[in-house]
């Protein structure tokens, strides 16, 4: 038996319907903010991803050479391709641009709960609004999308400027060491490292910043910084909107990528891999030959959304099974069409089975059975049976359609 590749999944109908319904809720929430959906190719030139992250990222990507000898890669995330599209197709459009997407992405890494080699990312990019209001909109949009999907999560919002201000006098190698320890939340290792460098004052400042949960606390540690007004303005918008969030100025993931505002979200039911969203402000377009436009956006792990939502619900849908005797086949097909045209999922018998066997099968799959035999065909009627209650009646086609519409008992 040929198995599916490691890190991929199959989705049966109930799960696919659950996924599609969740997607629709998320798309609707994004569109209400003015974000319209875009789509980029599944594969891009390898350089699109290495130009920012370096050649080391290749080991984490699915890469290949096409028949023309070009180095290509399946997309590992969505933002780079969207910004490449902006440079190629849309840099002359009026800004800000509000785009969203749902893309399948590919990374070669060890599969685990909520982490796969083929996965889906719901993302949004706000291009050309380098303002505190733009920062706030990205966070508010993300919050609306996740809540529309039904996700319960904790939102952490921060800004990189305070951390950079504290570390501004350190050599780059020491900054990277500190960032790695903070990213792993290895506070014991951080303390030992700073003690070995005789930077006890820096240790106190960093711990204070990690514990700060108001802008007043932050600027009491850093002193005045150029970005102070922008940070305060963004926080004020979020608080005035009633957003439930925690200020967290210890967010350091993506320090080399993000330029200012950063935020993360952590959801239930995900175990250790509980981050469901990450985003922030960045400048990327100039790397691809465009203008140095300020942008902000986020990526939601759609597969983690589905894990967080829990078990796939049993669909509550009215299904009609059309059963018939051989002489009433054409009549049964025309009946099926009428029920489908009315909006019902309708399944007709396709096997050479007697009415008893058809009825037994319908009991497993349908809420109503519509029986068409020679008598019904001659009189233009049907026998409508409620499979839940066992009651049935012979009636006109119009009455059957109305009965199913009104959930006849």
């Amino acid at each position: 038996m040929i198995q599916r590749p490691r890190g991929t999944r199959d989705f049966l109908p109930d799960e696919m319907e659950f996924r599609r319904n969740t997607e629709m809720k998320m798309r609707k929430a994004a569109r209400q903010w003015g974000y319209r959906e875009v789509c980029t190719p599944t594969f891009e030139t390898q350089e699109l991803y290495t130009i920012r992250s370096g050649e080391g990222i290749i080991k984490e990507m699915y890469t290949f050479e096409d028949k023309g000898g070009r180095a290509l890669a399946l997309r590992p995330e969505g933002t780079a391709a969207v910004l490449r599209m902006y440079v190629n197709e849309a840099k002359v459009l009026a800004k800000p641009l509000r785009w969203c997407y749902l893309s399948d992405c590919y990374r070669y890494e060890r599969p685990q709960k909520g982490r796969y080699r083929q996965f889906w990312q719901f993302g949004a990019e706000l291009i050309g609004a380098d303002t505190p209001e733009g920062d706030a909109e990205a966070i508010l949009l993300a919050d609306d999308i996740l809540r529309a999907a039904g996700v319960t999560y904790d939102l952490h919002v921060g800004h990189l400027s305070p951390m950079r201000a504290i570390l501004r006098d350190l050599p780059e190698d020491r900054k990277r060491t500190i960032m790695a320890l903070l990213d792993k939340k290895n506070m014991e290792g951080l303390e030992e490292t700073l003690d070995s460098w005789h930077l006890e004052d820096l240790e106190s400042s960093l711990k204070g910043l990690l514990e700060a949960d108001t802008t007043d606390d932050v600027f009491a540690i850093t002193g005045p910084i150029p970005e102070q007004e922008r940070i305060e303005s963004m926080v004020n918008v979020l608080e005035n909107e009633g957003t439930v969030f925690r200020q967290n100025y210890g967010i350091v993931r993506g320090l080399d990528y993000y330029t200012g505002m950063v935020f993360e979200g952590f959801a239930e039911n995900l175990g250790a891999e509980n981050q469901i969203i990450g985003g922030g402000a960045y400048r990327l377009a100039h790397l691809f030959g465009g203008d140095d436009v300020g942008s902000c956006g986020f990526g939601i792990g759609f597969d983690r959304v589905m894990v967080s939502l829990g078990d796939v619900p049993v669909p509550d849908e009215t299904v009609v099974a059309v059963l018939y005797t051989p002489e009433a086949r054409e009549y049964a097909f025309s009946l099926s069409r009428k029920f489908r045209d009315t909006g019902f999922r309708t399944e007709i018998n396709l096997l050479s089975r007697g009415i008893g066997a058809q009825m037994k099968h319908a009991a497993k799959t349908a809420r109503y059975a519509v029986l068409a035999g020679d008598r019904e065909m001659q009189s233009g009627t049907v026998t409508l049976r409620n499979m839940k209650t066992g009651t049935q009646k012979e009636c006109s086609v119009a009455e059957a359609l109305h009965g199913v519409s009104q959930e006849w008992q």
Side-chain angles (χ1 to χ4, degrees):
M1 181 187 298
I2 298 176
Q3 300 290 337
R4 66 175 184 267
R6 187 168 184 240
T8 64
R9 289 151 298 153
D10 299 314
F11 302 111
L12 294 172
D14 285 355
E15 187 169 4
M16 273 309 303
E17 289 182 5
F18 189 29
R19 289 173 71 91
R20 293 303 188 214
N21 287 337
T22 304
E23 288 176 21
M24 289 171 59
K25 293 175 183 177
M26 298 170 75
R27 285 188 171 102
K28 181 180 179 181
R31 189 168 181 83
Q32 288 175 333
W33 280 85
Y35 287 72
R36 301 177 66 197
E37 190 168 4
V38 295
C39 183
T40 61
T42 301
F43 59 89
E44 298 271 357
T45 58
Q46 195 177 111
E47 185 185 14
L48 179 70
Y49 304 107
T50 59
I51 195 172
R52 177 180 64 83
S53 302
E55 297 293 325
I57 196 177
I58 292 176
K59 67 179 182 296
E60 300 173 5
M61 296 194 302
Y62 281 88
T63 60
F64 61 98
E65 189 176 281
D66 71 5
K67 294 181 179 180
R70 291 170 284 265
L72 302 174
L74 299 181
R75 62 179 166 226
E77 53 88 22
T79 300
V82 171
L83 267 292
R84 189 272 308 151
M85 180 173 66
Y86 159 72
V87 172
N88 291 169
E89 314 285 351
K91 60 185 178 182
V92 298
L93 297 181
K95 297 180 184 64
L97 297 177
R98 292 178 169 93
W99 288 348
C100 67
Y101 52 90
L102 180 62
S103 302
D104 52 339
C105 303
Y106 304 83
R107 289 183 187 166
Y108 191 81
E109 55 189 0
R110 185 171 64 87
Q112 52 189 294
K113 183 178 180 180
R115 185 186 291 271
Y116 309 98
R117 290 180 174 175
Q118 182 192 22
F119 60 96
W120 279 260
Q121 183 182 80
F122 192 104
E125 313 298 341
L126 175 62
I127 303 171
D130 190 10
T131 63
E133 292 80 11
D135 293 345
E137 176 171 298
I139 298 167
L140 292 169
L141 167 67
D143 189 56
D144 273 10
I145 289 173
L146 283 173
R147 298 200 182 281
V151 173
T152 300
Y153 81 112
D154 295 321
L155 175 62
H156 294 205
V157 177
H159 202 281
L160 297 178
S161 297
M163 182 69 71
R164 287 185 172 134
I166 290 176
L167 302 179
R168 61 179 174 269
D169 296 328
L170 290 183
E172 288 301 319
D173 59 337
R174 291 195 170 187
K175 288 180 183 179
R176 286 193 293 270
T177 299
I178 291 173
M179 291 303 152
L181 291 167
L182 288 172
D183 188 30
K184 295 176 181 177
K185 297 180 173 55
N186 184 356
M187 303 312 296
E188 183 177 340
L190 178 64
E191 183 176 344
E192 292 175 357
T193 299
L194 293 176
D195 287 347
S196 70
W197 294 342
H198 306 292
L199 295 173
E200 290 80 5
D201 291 343
L202 181 59
E203 180 183 329
S204 175
S205 296
L206 283 172
K207 286 186 175 180
L209 186 62
L210 296 178
E211 295 169 359
D213 56 10
T214 69
T215 52
D216 289 342
D217 293 339
V218 170
F219 301 125
I221 296 167
T222 64
I225 60 175
E227 297 83 359
Q228 179 171 343
E229 183 178 348
R230 178 167 183 155
I231 296 171
E232 291 173 336
S233 295
M234 175 191 71
V235 170
N236 286 340
V237 172
L238 297 178
E239 290 178 341
N240 288 337
E241 285 293 302
T243 310
V244 178
F245 70 103
R246 174 194 161 197
Q247 294 187 53
N248 181 354
Y249 296 90
I251 299 175
V252 296
R253 184 177 301 168
L255 187 66
D256 294 333
Y257 174 68
Y258 293 116
T259 57
M261 177 274 292
V262 286
F263 67 101
E264 296 176 341
F266 305 91
E268 299 176 348
N269 306 329
L270 293 177
E273 294 287 338
N274 65 339
Q275 185 175 346
I276 200 167
I277 185 172
Y282 63 88
R283 310 185 84 88
L284 191 60
H286 65 286
L287 295 178
F288 309 141
D291 49 337
D292 185 22
V293 60
S295 307
C296 57
F298 56 83
I300 297 172
F302 182 73
D303 302 280
R304 296 187 185 186
V305 167
M306 301 311 298
V307 173
S308 176
L309 292 178
D311 295 335
V312 176
V314 177
D316 183 20
E317 181 181 12
T318 299
V319 179
V320 176
V322 176
L323 323 180
Y324 59 93
T325 56
E327 63 271 15
R329 184 185 63 184
E330 284 73 19
Y331 180 55
F333 269 87
S334 68
L335 289 172
S336 298
R337 173 66 65 186
K338 287 182 172 65
F339 278 91
R340 291 190 192 105
D341 288 346
T342 307
F344 297 110
R345 177 178 145 196
T346 306
E347 300 174 357
I348 190 169
N349 171 59
L350 300 176
L351 304 179
S352 299
R353 294 185 287 205
I355 292 296
Q358 293 181 50
M359 190 69 74
K360 185 176 180 180
H361 178 75
K364 301 175 183 177
T365 62
R367 187 173 300 179
Y368 292 96
V370 173
L371 175 61
D374 184 60
R375 183 183 75 252
E376 287 87 358
M377 179 179 65
Q378 295 299 326
S379 61
T381 62
V382 299
T383 297
L384 178 65
R385 181 180 179 87
N386 185 315
M387 303 303 292
K388 187 181 298 184
T389 64
T391 56
Q392 69 179 44
K393 62 182 178 181
E394 186 174 351
C395 58
S396 68
V397 175
E399 288 175 322
L401 289 169
H402 179 75
V404 174
S405 299
Q406 299 300 314
E407 290 293 321
W408 168 68
Q409 299 300 315

